[in-house]
């Protein structure tokens, strides 16, 4: 009986050992299958690429003219509405200021008085002159009459100047547009008392035949643009820069191309940036002053190492790729890329060289030192549609 039990235990132990060995073998085979997977691999080569740098911008018209009254008075008439297109010299507002009409009438009356005084003084000269010539009276009498005439003539000239000034002030009661443009907001209504010190302008006339897009670039970008453009002066470098595009608030690209026309002369010490102006033609006045947009500046790079964004992963703000060795082992490699981000590719400045092989996609499922089966991918199929 004892021998049977011992024999049964021996058989059971042997069976368990065999089962355990089979399971371990299957587990090892399974792990080997999991580790060695097929991944698409891209061989690094130099390519040409156009990068787009984008900068938030504010739009201003070629002229944004504040319309303010030069005299005190009540708004009597408003000849235009907000958003109206006006011409140079077109009437915008009428100011009710009757005192200036009175000043004109007073000046006209003073001219008549001064003219009468001049005529009287002239008669005095005419009367004294023959008496002096006959030595009946002293020549000083003639000189005195002539001085009186000159004083009256000066008073007449002063009266004409007063009339001109009065008419000028009266002309200020009608406010006309100083340029072609579009009328902005009109905060004051008929009956409002306005003067030259009124806080808000009566309105703004914007000439938007051309528009200015103002944006800022930091000091690092300034140096990059200076390095990548030809010319010995700022003006010469601006002249060689490519045309720029304007991305509107709805995401569409404005049909007209623009040019960088000027930059501020110094860097703002508070923001570390300079202000740049791009000018765009605006046929049909589609874009209005005060709009927001994005200026897109292209730059062409030749012989650049371009990698798809999907082949990278990020750790603590740094970007990495998986480089594949000749024996199929993957190792992570940190890459330094340009700030430009077009949603498709990065330009690698450091970390990769021509001929390196990197995992194209599926990097999230890899780990350092894993063994993979490389499946070469043609570079043209990766870049053709986007570069």
């Amino acid at each position: 009986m004892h021998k049977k039990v011992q024999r049964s235990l021996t058989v059971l132990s042997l069976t368990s050992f065999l089962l355990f060995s089979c399971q371990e073998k299957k587990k090892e085979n399974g792990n080997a299958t999991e580790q060695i997977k097929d991944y698409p691999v891209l061989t690094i080569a130099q390519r040409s690429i156009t990068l787009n740098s984008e900068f938030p911008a504010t739009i201003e018209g070629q002229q944004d003219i504040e319309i303010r009254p030069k005299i005190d008075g009540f708004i009597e008439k408003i000849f235009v509405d907000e958003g109206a297109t006006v011409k140079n010299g077109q009437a915008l507002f009428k100011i009710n200021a009757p005192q200036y009409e009175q000043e004109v009438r007073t000046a006209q009356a003073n001219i008549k008085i001064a003219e009468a005084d001049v005529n009287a003084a002239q008669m005095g000269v005419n009367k004294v002159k023959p008496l002096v010539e006959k030595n009946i009276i002293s020549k000083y009498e003639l000189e005195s009459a002539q001085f009186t005439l000159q004083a009256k003539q000066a008073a007449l000239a002063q009266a004409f100047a007063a009339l001109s000034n009065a008419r000028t002030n009266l002309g200020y009661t009608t406010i006309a547009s100083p340029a072609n443009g579009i009328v902005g907001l009109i905060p004051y209504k008929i009956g409002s008392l306005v003067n030259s010190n009124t806080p808000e302008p009566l309105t703004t006339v914007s000439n938007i035949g051309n528009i200015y897009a103002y944006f800022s670039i930091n000091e690092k970008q300034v140096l990059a643009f200076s390095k990548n453009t030809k010319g010995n002066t700022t003006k010469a470098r601006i002249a060689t820069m490519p045309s720029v595009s304007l991305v509107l608030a709805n995401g569409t690209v404005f049909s007209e191309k623009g040019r960088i026309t000027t930059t501020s002369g110094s860097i703002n010490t508070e923001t570390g940036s300079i202000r740049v102006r791009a000018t765009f033609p605006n046929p049909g006045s589609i874009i209005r002053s005060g709009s927001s947009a994005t200026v897109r500046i292209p730059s062409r790079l030749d012989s650049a190492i371009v990698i798809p964004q999907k082949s990278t992963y990020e750790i603590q703000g740094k970007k990495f790729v998986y480089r594949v060795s000749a024996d199929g082992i993957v190792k992570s490699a940190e890459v330094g890329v340009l700030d430009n981000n077009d949603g498709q590719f990065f330009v690698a400045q450091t970390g990769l060289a021509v001929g390196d092989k990197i995992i194209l996609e599926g990097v999230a499922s890899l780990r350092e030192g894993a063994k993979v089966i490389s499946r070469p991918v043609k570079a043209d199929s990766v870049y053709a549609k986007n570069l």
Side-chain angles (χ1 to χ4, degrees):
M1 183 68 179
H2 180 70
K3 290 182 178 181
K4 284 185 176 181
V5 172
Q6 189 175 9
R7 191 181 298 113
S8 298
L9 290 174
T10 302
V11 172
L12 182 60
S13 298
L14 182 59
T15 303
S16 299
F17 175 76
L18 292 173
L19 288 173
F20 178 77
S21 298
C22 291
Q23 289 174 355
E24 287 296 318
K25 192 170 183 179
K26 288 181 180 179
K27 186 175 180 181
E28 291 176 359
N29 291 336
N31 288 339
T33 303
E34 290 176 1
Q35 290 177 356
I36 304 178
K37 290 185 178 180
D38 178 280
Y39 283 90
V41 172
L42 176 68
T43 301
I44 298 297
Q46 291 182 330
R47 309 188 71 85
S48 296
I49 184 174
T50 298
L51 300 178
N52 290 316
S53 301
E54 296 188 344
F55 303 91
T58 55
I59 305 300
E60 294 183 13
Q62 184 176 353
Q63 290 176 291
D64 287 329
I65 307 170
E66 291 185 347
I67 307 300
R68 294 183 178 273
K70 294 184 177 180
I71 58 173
D72 300 348
F74 296 93
I75 296 179
E76 181 179 348
K77 293 181 180 179
I78 300 176
F79 298 107
V80 295
D81 200 358
E82 296 171 349
T85 301
V86 295
K87 299 293 185 180
N88 184 9
Q90 181 176 339
L92 303 177
F93 300 93
K94 176 70 174 178
I95 305 296
N96 183 358
Q99 68 270 26
Y100 296 108
E101 295 179 3
Q102 183 60 39
E103 287 181 2
V104 170
R105 288 192 291 267
T106 299
Q108 289 172 335
N110 288 335
I111 286 175
K112 291 181 179 180
I113 294 173
E115 286 176 338
D117 289 342
V118 168
N119 291 334
Q122 184 65 55
M123 289 177 63
V125 170
N126 295 339
K127 179 181 178 180
V128 171
K129 188 175 182 180
L131 297 176
V132 171
E133 290 175 350
K134 294 178 181 180
N135 293 321
I136 299 175
I137 59 175
S138 170
K139 65 177 180 179
Y140 295 108
E141 295 291 337
L142 177 60
E143 290 178 354
S144 176
Q146 290 174 334
F147 289 150
T148 300
L149 175 60
Q150 291 175 3
K152 297 303 181 181
Q153 289 173 336
L156 177 59
Q158 189 175 26
F160 273 112
L163 176 61
S164 178
N165 185 59
R167 283 174 173 169
T168 298
N169 288 335
L170 182 61
Y172 291 150
T173 60
T174 300
I175 300 175
S177 175
N180 298 338
I182 295 176
V183 177
L185 178 68
I186 302 177
Y188 301 102
K189 306 306 177 186
I190 292 177
S192 298
L193 176 63
V194 295
N195 56 58
S196 58
N197 297 320
T198 301
E200 289 187 82
L202 300 182
T203 189
T204 301
V205 174
S206 299
N207 181 355
I208 53 176
N210 290 316
I211 54 170
Y212 297 148
Y214 288 96
F215 60 97
S216 297
I217 61 176
N218 60 42
E219 188 174 357
K220 183 179 177 182
Q221 292 165 330
V222 172
L223 294 174
F225 280 128
S226 299
K227 180 181 178 181
N228 296 328
T229 52
K230 298 179 180 179
N232 296 324
T233 64
T234 300
K235 183 177 180 181
R237 285 191 288 269
I238 289 176
T240 61
M241 291 186 67
S243 299
V244 299
S245 302
L246 193 67
V247 182
L248 305 181
N250 61 0
T252 61
V253 179
F254 187 44
S255 58
E256 301 290 334
K257 294 287 187 181
R259 300 285 304 181
I260 302 294
T261 50
T262 186
T263 63
S264 59
S266 60
I267 295 176
N268 187 317
T269 55
E270 295 182 359
T271 62
S273 61
I274 66 171
R275 198 177 192 214
V276 183
R277 186 183 77 192
T279 303
F280 294 83
N282 188 28
S285 301
I286 296 174
I287 301 177
R288 300 298 179 93
S289 185
S291 302
S292 60
T294 300
V295 174
R296 179 180 290 170
I297 304 177
S299 58
R300 186 71 176 175
L301 294 181
D302 295 320
S303 303
I305 293 179
V306 183
I307 58 174
Q309 290 190 14
K310 62 184 178 181
S311 66
T312 67
Y313 64 97
E314 188 170 326
I315 299 177
Q316 296 181 347
K318 297 180 179 180
K319 290 182 172 56
F320 295 84
V321 297
Y322 279 116
R323 192 160 40 199
V324 185
S325 63
D327 56 0
I329 304 299
V330 297
K331 293 183 179 180
S332 61
E334 181 183 351
V335 292
V337 301
L338 292 179
D339 292 338
N340 175 267
N341 183 354
D342 65 356
Q344 295 289 331
F345 301 98
F346 288 128
V347 175
Q349 293 183 298
T350 60
L352 290 175
V354 174
D356 286 347
K357 299 180 184 297
I358 62 171
I359 300 296
L360 180 61
E361 56 186 16
V363 294
S365 62
L366 283 171
R367 60 181 176 80
E368 183 76 10
K371 187 175 179 63
V372 299
I373 299 174
S374 298
R375 176 164 48 88
V377 176
K378 291 184 178 180
D380 290 343
S381 66
V382 177
Y383 298 109
K385 295 181 180 179
N386 299 291
L387 295 184

mmCIF file of all heavy atoms in Angstrom, residues 75-82 84-86 89-96 171-177 183 186 188 190 203:
data_model
loop_
_atom_site.group_PDB
_atom_site.id
_atom_site.type_symbol
_atom_site.label_atom_id
_atom_site.label_comp_id
_atom_site.label_asym_id
_atom_site.label_seq_id
_atom_site.Cartn_x
_atom_site.Cartn_y
_atom_site.Cartn_z
ATOM 1 N N ILE A 75 -24.580 119.586 -32.085
ATOM 2 C CA ILE A 75 -24.680 118.874 -33.366
ATOM 3 C C ILE A 75 -26.080 119.127 -33.932
ATOM 4 O O ILE A 75 -27.087 118.751 -33.331
ATOM 5 C CB ILE A 75 -24.436 117.369 -33.193
ATOM 6 C CG1 ILE A 75 -23.007 117.112 -32.705
ATOM 7 C CG2 ILE A 75 -24.669 116.644 -34.520
ATOM 8 C CD1 ILE A 75 -22.688 115.643 -32.479
ATOM 9 N N GLU A 76 -26.093 119.776 -35.081
ATOM 10 C CA GLU A 76 -27.368 120.111 -35.710
ATOM 11 C C GLU A 76 -27.803 119.057 -36.718
ATOM 12 O O GLU A 76 -28.975 118.689 -36.798
ATOM 13 C CB GLU A 76 -27.254 121.473 -36.395
ATOM 14 C CG GLU A 76 -28.527 121.950 -37.059
ATOM 15 C CD GLU A 76 -28.364 123.315 -37.711
ATOM 16 O OE1 GLU A 76 -27.347 123.981 -37.450
ATOM 17 O OE2 GLU A 76 -29.250 123.714 -38.483
ATOM 18 N N LYS A 77 -26.837 118.548 -37.492
ATOM 19 C CA LYS A 77 -27.150 117.551 -38.509
ATOM 20 C C LYS A 77 -26.033 116.514 -38.577
ATOM 21 O O LYS A 77 -24.861 116.836 -38.346
ATOM 22 C CB LYS A 77 -27.333 118.191 -39.888
ATOM 23 C CG LYS A 77 -28.554 119.086 -40.012
ATOM 24 C CD LYS A 77 -28.656 119.654 -41.428
ATOM 25 C CE LYS A 77 -29.861 120.556 -41.568
ATOM 26 N NZ LYS A 77 -29.958 121.134 -42.941
ATOM 27 N N ILE A 78 -26.396 115.288 -38.892
ATOM 28 C CA ILE A 78 -25.441 114.211 -39.181
ATOM 29 C C ILE A 78 -25.751 113.727 -40.598
ATOM 30 O O ILE A 78 -26.841 113.199 -40.853
ATOM 31 C CB ILE A 78 -25.553 113.061 -38.165
ATOM 32 C CG1 ILE A 78 -25.271 113.569 -36.748
ATOM 33 C CG2 ILE A 78 -24.573 111.939 -38.521
ATOM 34 C CD1 ILE A 78 -25.465 112.517 -35.666
ATOM 35 N N PHE A 79 -24.828 113.941 -41.504
ATOM 36 C CA PHE A 79 -25.097 113.688 -42.919
ATOM 37 C C PHE A 79 -24.805 112.251 -43.354
ATOM 38 O O PHE A 79 -25.172 111.865 -44.469
ATOM 39 C CB PHE A 79 -24.265 114.641 -43.777
ATOM 40 C CG PHE A 79 -24.578 116.083 -43.562
ATOM 41 C CD1 PHE A 79 -23.685 116.900 -42.879
ATOM 42 C CD2 PHE A 79 -25.758 116.637 -44.019
ATOM 43 C CE1 PHE A 79 -23.962 118.243 -42.677
ATOM 44 C CE2 PHE A 79 -26.052 117.976 -43.827
ATOM 45 C CZ PHE A 79 -25.153 118.783 -43.142
ATOM 46 N N VAL A 80 -24.124 111.470 -42.528
ATOM 47 C CA VAL A 80 -23.732 110.109 -42.912
ATOM 48 C C VAL A 80 -24.121 109.145 -41.806
ATOM 49 O O VAL A 80 -24.450 109.551 -40.682
ATOM 50 C CB VAL A 80 -22.209 110.014 -43.176
ATOM 51 C CG1 VAL A 80 -21.814 110.846 -44.381
ATOM 52 C CG2 VAL A 80 -21.429 110.444 -41.943
ATOM 53 N N ASP A 81 -24.076 107.874 -42.144
ATOM 54 C CA ASP A 81 -24.361 106.840 -41.151
ATOM 55 C C ASP A 81 -23.086 106.032 -40.895
ATOM 56 O O ASP A 81 -22.136 106.075 -41.682
ATOM 57 C CB ASP A 81 -25.470 105.911 -41.653
ATOM 58 C CG ASP A 81 -26.129 105.138 -40.516
ATOM 59 O OD1 ASP A 81 -25.680 105.300 -39.355
ATOM 60 O OD2 ASP A 81 -27.068 104.370 -40.785
ATOM 61 N N GLU A 82 -23.089 105.310 -39.810
ATOM 62 C CA GLU A 82 -21.940 104.464 -39.485
ATOM 63 C C GLU A 82 -21.733 103.419 -40.578
ATOM 64 O O GLU A 82 -22.681 102.797 -41.044
ATOM 65 C CB GLU A 82 -22.165 103.777 -38.141
ATOM 66 C CG GLU A 82 -22.253 104.750 -36.971
ATOM 67 C CD GLU A 82 -22.682 104.069 -35.683
ATOM 68 O OE1 GLU A 82 -23.105 102.899 -35.751
ATOM 69 O OE2 GLU A 82 -22.600 104.711 -34.610
ATOM 70 N N ALA A 84 -20.686 104.063 -43.584
ATOM 71 C CA ALA A 84 -20.840 104.625 -44.924
ATOM 72 C C ALA A 84 -19.479 104.893 -45.561
ATOM 73 O O ALA A 84 -18.517 105.228 -44.878
ATOM 74 C CB ALA A 84 -21.656 105.906 -44.861
ATOM 75 N N THR A 85 -19.438 104.765 -46.874
ATOM 76 C CA THR A 85 -18.234 105.110 -47.634
ATOM 77 C C THR A 85 -18.322 106.575 -48.041
ATOM 78 O O THR A 85 -19.322 107.006 -48.621
ATOM 79 C CB THR A 85 -18.103 104.219 -48.875
ATOM 80 O OG1 THR A 85 -18.035 102.850 -48.475
ATOM 81 C CG2 THR A 85 -16.855 104.572 -49.667
ATOM 82 N N VAL A 86 -17.290 107.346 -47.704
ATOM 83 C CA VAL A 86 -17.322 108.783 -47.977
ATOM 84 C C VAL A 86 -16.122 109.184 -48.824
ATOM 85 O O VAL A 86 -15.116 108.479 -48.890
ATOM 86 C CB VAL A 86 -17.326 109.598 -46.658
ATOM 87 C CG1 VAL A 86 -18.609 109.344 -45.881
ATOM 88 C CG2 VAL A 86 -16.104 109.268 -45.805
ATOM 89 N N GLY A 89 -13.718 115.573 -48.624
ATOM 90 C CA GLY A 89 -14.491 116.805 -48.729
ATOM 91 C C GLY A 89 -15.980 116.630 -48.502
ATOM 92 O O GLY A 89 -16.715 117.620 -48.431
ATOM 93 N N GLN A 90 -16.458 115.418 -48.384
ATOM 94 C CA GLN A 90 -17.895 115.187 -48.177
ATOM 95 C C GLN A 90 -18.297 115.600 -46.762
ATOM 96 O O GLN A 90 -17.609 115.323 -45.789
ATOM 97 C CB GLN A 90 -18.220 113.711 -48.405
ATOM 98 C CG GLN A 90 -19.692 113.372 -48.248
ATOM 99 C CD GLN A 90 -19.973 111.916 -48.584
ATOM 100 O OE1 GLN A 90 -19.187 111.268 -49.287
ATOM 101 N NE2 GLN A 90 -21.084 111.385 -48.098
ATOM 102 N N ALA A 91 -19.442 116.288 -46.644
ATOM 103 C CA ALA A 91 -19.912 116.766 -45.350
ATOM 104 C C ALA A 91 -20.313 115.607 -44.450
ATOM 105 O O ALA A 91 -20.988 114.661 -44.887
ATOM 106 C CB ALA A 91 -21.094 117.704 -45.543
ATOM 107 N N LEU A 92 -19.886 115.703 -43.180
ATOM 108 C CA LEU A 92 -20.209 114.665 -42.198
ATOM 109 C C LEU A 92 -21.158 115.174 -41.119
ATOM 110 O O LEU A 92 -22.148 114.516 -40.801
ATOM 111 C CB LEU A 92 -18.920 114.159 -41.543
ATOM 112 C CG LEU A 92 -17.828 113.603 -42.460
ATOM 113 C CD1 LEU A 92 -16.604 113.211 -41.638
ATOM 114 C CD2 LEU A 92 -18.339 112.415 -43.262
ATOM 115 N N PHE A 93 -20.836 116.356 -40.559
ATOM 116 C CA PHE A 93 -21.621 116.905 -39.451
ATOM 117 C C PHE A 93 -21.837 118.398 -39.669
ATOM 118 O O PHE A 93 -21.034 119.075 -40.313
ATOM 119 C CB PHE A 93 -20.896 116.709 -38.105
ATOM 120 C CG PHE A 93 -20.635 115.277 -37.751
ATOM 121 C CD1 PHE A 93 -19.416 114.685 -38.096
ATOM 122 C CD2 PHE A 93 -21.571 114.519 -37.066
ATOM 123 C CE1 PHE A 93 -19.159 113.365 -37.770
ATOM 124 C CE2 PHE A 93 -21.315 113.204 -36.740
ATOM 125 C CZ PHE A 93 -20.112 112.624 -37.098
ATOM 126 N N LYS A 94 -22.937 118.906 -39.077
ATOM 127 C CA LYS A 94 -23.219 120.336 -39.033
ATOM 128 C C LYS A 94 -23.350 120.741 -37.565
ATOM 129 O O LYS A 94 -24.144 120.166 -36.818
ATOM 130 C CB LYS A 94 -24.510 120.655 -39.781
ATOM 131 C CG LYS A 94 -24.946 122.111 -39.707
ATOM 132 C CD LYS A 94 -24.020 123.009 -40.492
ATOM 133 C CE LYS A 94 -24.553 124.447 -40.519
ATOM 134 N NZ LYS A 94 -23.643 125.351 -41.231
ATOM 135 N N ILE A 95 -22.508 121.713 -37.141
ATOM 136 C CA ILE A 95 -22.526 122.194 -35.766
ATOM 137 C C ILE A 95 -23.321 123.496 -35.710
ATOM 138 O O ILE A 95 -23.080 124.426 -36.498
ATOM 139 C CB ILE A 95 -21.097 122.448 -35.238
ATOM 140 C CG1 ILE A 95 -20.243 121.186 -35.385
ATOM 141 C CG2 ILE A 95 -21.140 122.900 -33.784
ATOM 142 C CD1 ILE A 95 -20.705 120.018 -34.581
ATOM 143 N N ASN A 96 -24.279 123.560 -34.801
ATOM 144 C CA ASN A 96 -25.082 124.773 -34.621
ATOM 145 C C ASN A 96 -24.328 125.715 -33.696
ATOM 146 O O ASN A 96 -24.235 125.486 -32.490
ATOM 147 C CB ASN A 96 -26.448 124.415 -34.030
ATOM 148 C CG ASN A 96 -27.346 125.631 -33.904
ATOM 149 O OD1 ASN A 96 -26.943 126.744 -34.218
ATOM 150 N ND2 ASN A 96 -28.573 125.424 -33.448
ATOM 151 N N GLY A 171 -16.815 128.259 -41.091
ATOM 152 C CA GLY A 171 -16.613 127.053 -41.892
ATOM 153 C C GLY A 171 -16.450 125.806 -41.041
ATOM 154 O O GLY A 171 -16.790 124.696 -41.478
ATOM 155 N N TYR A 172 -15.943 125.980 -39.810
ATOM 156 C CA TYR A 172 -15.784 124.841 -38.920
ATOM 157 C C TYR A 172 -17.119 124.270 -38.456
ATOM 158 O O TYR A 172 -17.158 123.179 -37.893
ATOM 159 C CB TYR A 172 -14.958 125.236 -37.693
ATOM 160 C CG TYR A 172 -13.502 125.519 -37.998
ATOM 161 C CD1 TYR A 172 -12.788 126.442 -37.228
ATOM 162 C CD2 TYR A 172 -12.839 124.884 -39.037
ATOM 163 C CE1 TYR A 172 -11.441 126.706 -37.496
ATOM 164 C CE2 TYR A 172 -11.513 125.145 -39.306
ATOM 165 C CZ TYR A 172 -10.819 126.055 -38.533
ATOM 166 O OH TYR A 172 -9.498 126.319 -38.801
ATOM 167 N N THR A 173 -18.199 125.015 -38.673
ATOM 168 C CA THR A 173 -19.510 124.491 -38.273
ATOM 169 C C THR A 173 -19.941 123.337 -39.173
ATOM 170 O O THR A 173 -20.819 122.550 -38.800
ATOM 171 C CB THR A 173 -20.572 125.593 -38.310
ATOM 172 O OG1 THR A 173 -20.680 126.117 -39.642
ATOM 173 C CG2 THR A 173 -20.209 126.718 -37.346
ATOM 174 N N THR A 174 -19.351 123.241 -40.366
ATOM 175 C CA THR A 174 -19.575 122.083 -41.236
ATOM 176 C C THR A 174 -18.300 121.262 -41.243
ATOM 177 O O THR A 174 -17.240 121.739 -41.656
ATOM 178 C CB THR A 174 -19.936 122.515 -42.664
ATOM 179 O OG1 THR A 174 -21.132 123.287 -42.640
ATOM 180 C CG2 THR A 174 -20.147 121.293 -43.561
ATOM 181 N N ILE A 175 -18.395 120.025 -40.773
ATOM 182 C CA ILE A 175 -17.221 119.153 -40.667
ATOM 183 C C ILE A 175 -17.242 118.184 -41.841
ATOM 184 O O ILE A 175 -18.203 117.423 -42.021
ATOM 185 C CB ILE A 175 -17.224 118.389 -39.337
ATOM 186 C CG1 ILE A 175 -17.214 119.383 -38.169
ATOM 187 C CG2 ILE A 175 -16.017 117.458 -39.245
ATOM 188 C CD1 ILE A 175 -17.328 118.725 -36.817
ATOM 189 N N ALA A 176 -16.185 118.236 -42.644
ATOM 190 C CA ALA A 176 -16.098 117.400 -43.840
ATOM 191 C C ALA A 176 -15.040 116.319 -43.656
ATOM 192 O O ALA A 176 -14.138 116.437 -42.825
ATOM 193 C CB ALA A 176 -15.780 118.255 -45.058
ATOM 194 N N SER A 177 -15.149 115.279 -44.459
ATOM 195 C CA SER A 177 -14.175 114.189 -44.397
ATOM 196 C C SER A 177 -12.852 114.648 -45.002
ATOM 197 O O SER A 177 -12.833 115.198 -46.110
ATOM 198 C CB SER A 177 -14.700 112.971 -45.152
ATOM 199 O OG SER A 177 -13.716 111.956 -45.194
ATOM 200 N N VAL A 183 -16.769 105.415 -42.630
ATOM 201 C CA VAL A 183 -17.128 106.042 -41.365
ATOM 202 C C VAL A 183 -17.221 104.988 -40.269
ATOM 203 O O VAL A 183 -17.820 103.921 -40.466
ATOM 204 C CB VAL A 183 -18.463 106.798 -41.494
ATOM 205 C CG1 VAL A 183 -18.875 107.399 -40.159
ATOM 206 C CG2 VAL A 183 -18.349 107.877 -42.558
ATOM 207 N N ILE A 186 -20.339 106.417 -34.505
ATOM 208 C CA ILE A 186 -20.742 107.798 -34.227
ATOM 209 C C ILE A 186 -21.375 107.822 -32.836
ATOM 210 O O ILE A 186 -22.556 107.513 -32.662
ATOM 211 C CB ILE A 186 -21.736 108.322 -35.283
ATOM 212 C CG1 ILE A 186 -21.109 108.242 -36.678
ATOM 213 C CG2 ILE A 186 -22.156 109.752 -34.970
ATOM 214 C CD1 ILE A 186 -22.034 108.671 -37.800
ATOM 215 N N TYR A 188 -22.003 110.347 -30.750
ATOM 216 C CA TYR A 188 -22.848 111.489 -30.393
ATOM 217 C C TYR A 188 -24.006 111.604 -31.377
ATOM 218 O O TYR A 188 -23.858 111.340 -32.567
ATOM 219 C CB TYR A 188 -22.032 112.779 -30.393
ATOM 220 C CG TYR A 188 -20.865 112.743 -29.433
ATOM 221 C CD1 TYR A 188 -19.566 112.534 -29.904
ATOM 222 C CD2 TYR A 188 -21.053 112.898 -28.073
ATOM 223 C CE1 TYR A 188 -18.493 112.496 -29.033
ATOM 224 C CE2 TYR A 188 -19.982 112.857 -27.189
ATOM 225 C CZ TYR A 188 -18.698 112.648 -27.680
ATOM 226 O OH TYR A 188 -17.647 112.593 -26.810
ATOM 227 N N ILE A 190 -27.711 113.920 -32.638
ATOM 228 C CA ILE A 190 -28.157 115.296 -32.864
ATOM 229 C C ILE A 190 -28.569 115.919 -31.525
ATOM 230 O O ILE A 190 -29.281 115.316 -30.723
ATOM 231 C CB ILE A 190 -29.344 115.310 -33.853
ATOM 232 C CG1 ILE A 190 -28.851 114.884 -35.247
ATOM 233 C CG2 ILE A 190 -29.990 116.692 -33.907
ATOM 234 C CD1 ILE A 190 -29.944 114.783 -36.275
ATOM 235 N N THR A 203 -16.376 110.810 -34.895
ATOM 236 C CA THR A 203 -16.323 109.519 -35.584
ATOM 237 C C THR A 203 -14.884 109.323 -36.066
ATOM 238 O O THR A 203 -14.006 110.135 -35.797
ATOM 239 C CB THR A 203 -17.298 109.449 -36.774
ATOM 240 O OG1 THR A 203 -17.356 108.099 -37.266
ATOM 241 C CG2 THR A 203 -16.870 110.360 -37.914
#
